[in-house]
Amino acid sequence: MDNASSTRRRPLSLAARAALATGFALAAFLGLTGLAQNKANYASELSAMHDRLHNYAIAYITGTDITRAGKVTTPDSQPNPDFSRPGSGLYAIIVGNDGFRWESSSALGRDFDFVRMLSPGETAFEPVETRSGKLYVFSYGVSLDSTEKRSVPLTFAVAQTEDQFERQVATYRRTQFLWLAMLGMMLMLLQLFLLRWSLLPLRRVSSDLAHIERGTRDHLDGPYPVELTVLTRRLNAFIDSEREQRTRYRDTLADLAHSLKTPLAVIRSQLETGGDAANLRGDILDQVRRMDEIVAYQLSRAATSGRRTIASVEPIAGHAEDLVQSLEKVYAAKNVLCEFEIEDGVTFPGEQGDLLELMGNLVENAFKWASHRVLLTARSVGKMRGRSGLELVVEDDGPGIADEKIEKILQRGVRGDERVQGHGIGLSIVQDIIKAYQGELHVDRSEELGGARFSVKLPPP
């Protein structure tokens, strides 16, 4: 396992991924751009050389005359001094019928047997391999007339070595590579700067989360870009949910410890004082049963999940019927009648466990205090984005609750009447669930039944 963990590579950061991706894209783009420019420059240089050699050929044609006897006289001046310098790399050749041939001074000692006669008006531009290297040759076939109206066919050829052409192309390539390399470096630096600037909000979120972990901040306060607003809002919701869950666990443990004090004290007292074995066994079993009920309550309370970012919905009607059937068996001696006014399709905007705890504690409390009747009402309220909230009302025909006692009975561990069996934690669980769902609890007197009326309103998810 250790070897596998050590060889596992750490994923690249977002900045590194973006830098590599854009770096490859930039390199490919600049490479293709350089290739296209090189091809365009090569074609341009070749075209320029063609035009230059063509102009030299025209200059030689213009300076050439035919005497009355039909003799060819070559021009005295050269269109370029390199034609007079041997080995300069720029050559001129004139060939005609009857073995006529003229070469510029620069062609001294070189072999130009490849020059062929062309028809008048015909031109040719082609590379030619020679023993001395490659030449680019432009040939032009003409027919010159003498004063005697005698036509003399001639072919003018102007050649240039490849070296000069390649030097020009190589110079362009070096210059181009230098500028493209400088441009690429500048673009890479600009890209790194833009990436760092673009990812700065994410670094700020990471830094703010570190502050929250150290306890120096409570939430992600921002401001953040629009794209991160949903993320930070969800993170804040998870942070609040975690804190509420931790508080709920702490309160549950405190309530559990407090509630178990009395049963444990009774058991200890019974064991210390002794007494009849049958009575002692019955008292201990009663206290154990009471402790079991307390633990069940607290475990249920600790398991309530509260509102989640992504929540389900639970139908009310089926759970209400199952709950009331169970309570009617427990309180069979009181002969309590529970009536329903449940709207069709009404749902609880949360988890099933929370619904059972909320509705179960309210309805059981009503059964406990009712004389004969309990009314359970449920309807949808506050529809938003296709989701509905819930209004849940539980009423009984019992003695009701005085206004000055309402706040007291909602406190943890407080019972409305110490003579009535219970632990004083049921309504505390109800309040915690309602708080987790950002709902409201209202306690007053029932106008229809005359007893207590508990009204719960939960907003849409």
Side-chain angles (χ1 to χ4, degrees):
M1 291 295 293
D2 293 338
N3 292 336
S5 299
S6 61
T7 56
R8 187 180 302 157
R9 297 182 60 185
R10 183 179 180 181
L12 292 175
S13 65
L14 292 177
R17 289 171 183 266
L20 285 175
T22 53
F24 283 130
L26 180 61
F29 173 76
L30 292 179
L32 292 175
T33 300
L35 180 62
Q37 288 180 341
N38 273 328
K39 288 186 174 295
N41 176 72
Y42 186 89
S44 176
E45 290 291 340
L46 198 62
S47 177
M49 182 171 59
H50 171 275
D51 294 341
R52 185 168 57 252
L53 297 182
H54 176 267
N55 292 335
Y56 289 153
I58 296 298
Y60 275 109
I61 293 172
T62 304
T64 301
D65 290 324
I66 304 298
T67 65
R68 183 173 300 197
K71 184 179 180 180
V72 179
T73 59
T74 58
D76 297 330
S77 61
Q78 308 296 328
N80 189 306
D82 286 341
F83 286 108
S84 300
R85 184 165 53 85
S88 65
L90 194 60
Y91 315 106
I93 305 96
I94 305 175
V95 294
N97 293 332
D98 301 329
F100 174 80
R101 187 180 190 86
W102 176 89
E103 296 178 353
S104 63
S105 302
S106 59
L108 184 64
R110 298 184 66 92
D111 181 14
F112 291 98
D113 292 338
F114 57 83
V115 178
R116 56 187 177 84
M117 288 290 296
L118 299 179
S119 301
E122 182 183 357
T123 62
F125 178 68
E126 57 187 352
V128 177
E129 292 288 348
T130 67
R131 291 191 300 269
S132 302
K134 181 186 289 187
L135 295 176
Y136 287 92
V137 182
F138 177 82
S139 303
Y140 199 152
V142 297
S143 178
L144 298 181
D145 295 334
S146 66
T147 55
E148 299 294 330
K149 303 299 182 180
R150 182 181 177 183
S151 295
V152 178
L154 297 173
T155 296
F156 291 79
V158 182
Q160 178 181 319
T161 59
E162 181 188 35
D163 295 342
Q164 184 178 359
F165 173 73
E166 290 297 333
R167 281 196 303 269
Q168 293 172 343
V169 173
T171 300
Y172 175 83
R173 287 176 178 170
R174 287 194 299 270
T175 305
Q176 179 202 45
F177 177 80
L178 177 63
W179 281 104
L180 286 179
M182 292 175 60
L183 178 61
M185 291 298 297
M186 292 174 61
L187 289 176
M188 286 295 294
L189 292 175
L190 178 62
Q191 172 209 353
L192 293 176
F193 171 77
L194 292 177
L195 278 175
R196 186 174 183 82
W197 177 77
S198 300
L199 295 176
L200 189 61
L202 287 177
R203 294 191 180 93
R204 189 182 303 125
V205 171
S206 178
S207 176
D208 291 346
L209 285 174
H211 283 291
I212 293 174
E213 291 177 353
R214 292 193 294 267
T216 56
R217 287 189 183 181
D218 294 331
H219 293 90
L220 297 171
D221 299 325
Y224 304 107
V226 176
E227 293 80 2
L228 295 180
T229 301
V230 175
L231 171 65
T232 55
R233 186 166 62 245
R234 297 298 187 193
L235 286 175
N236 283 330
F238 283 128
I239 291 170
D240 291 338
S241 176
E242 188 273 338
R243 286 174 177 164
E244 291 174 2
Q245 187 82 354
R246 186 170 55 196
T247 301
R248 184 162 59 251
Y249 287 157
R250 184 173 59 247
D251 292 342
T252 300
L253 291 175
D255 287 344
L256 180 60
H258 177 77
S259 300
L260 291 176
K261 279 184 179 181
T262 301
L264 288 173
V266 172
I267 292 175
R268 180 179 179 180
S269 175
Q270 293 292 330
L271 291 174
E272 289 177 349
T273 58
D276 181 71
N279 292 333
L280 178 62
R281 183 173 181 275
D283 291 339
I284 291 178
L285 285 176
D286 288 341
Q287 297 305 317
V288 169
R289 184 167 53 252
R290 184 180 179 188
M291 292 169 63
D292 183 65
E293 292 175 357
I294 293 172
V295 171
Y297 267 120
Q298 299 299 344
L299 289 178
S300 297
R301 178 173 176 268
T304 55
S305 58
R307 171 162 299 199
R308 297 181 178 178
T309 303
I310 301 176
S312 60
V313 293
E314 287 293 326
I316 299 290
H319 293 300
E321 292 176 359
D322 294 341
L323 174 65
V324 169
Q325 288 177 2
S326 300
L327 291 175
E328 285 177 345
K329 295 177 181 178
V330 175
Y331 294 92
K334 298 183 67 175
N335 194 25
V336 176
L337 173 64
C338 183
E339 302 174 70
F340 296 114
E341 290 185 5
I342 300 178
E343 182 181 286
D344 291 340
V346 64
T347 58
F348 174 77
E351 302 297 324
Q352 176 180 323
D354 295 341
L355 168 61
L356 295 178
E357 284 298 322
L358 175 64
M359 187 167 58
N361 280 289
L362 289 177
V363 176
E364 183 178 9
N365 184 74
F367 265 77
K368 187 184 301 182
W369 290 96
S371 297
H372 297 291
R373 294 181 61 196
V374 172
L375 175 61
L376 173 62
T377 304
R379 54 178 172 267
S380 300
V381 294
K383 191 169 185 179
M384 182 183 300
R385 293 193 297 269
R387 306 289 291 274
S388 299
L390 172 66
E391 181 179 16
L392 186 67
V393 181
V394 179
E395 305 172 68
D396 62 68
D397 61 348
I401 305 172
D403 293 342
E404 62 272 12
K405 291 185 178 181
I406 291 176
E407 184 176 354
K408 181 180 179 181
I409 67 168
L410 294 178
Q411 297 175 2
R412 291 192 185 94
V414 177
R415 288 178 284 173
D417 189 340
E418 296 296 329
R419 294 171 298 177
V420 178
Q421 183 181 0
H423 312 295
I425 60 176
L427 294 180
S428 174
I429 296 175
V430 168
Q431 285 195 100
D432 288 342
I433 295 175
I434 294 173
K435 182 180 178 182
Y437 283 82
Q438 292 88 47
E440 298 177 355
L441 172 63
H442 184 67
V443 182
D444 57 5
R445 182 170 292 276
S446 172
E447 296 181 359
E448 182 175 348
L449 301 183
R453 179 178 183 268
F454 288 79
S455 177
V456 176
K457 287 186 177 180
L458 302 179

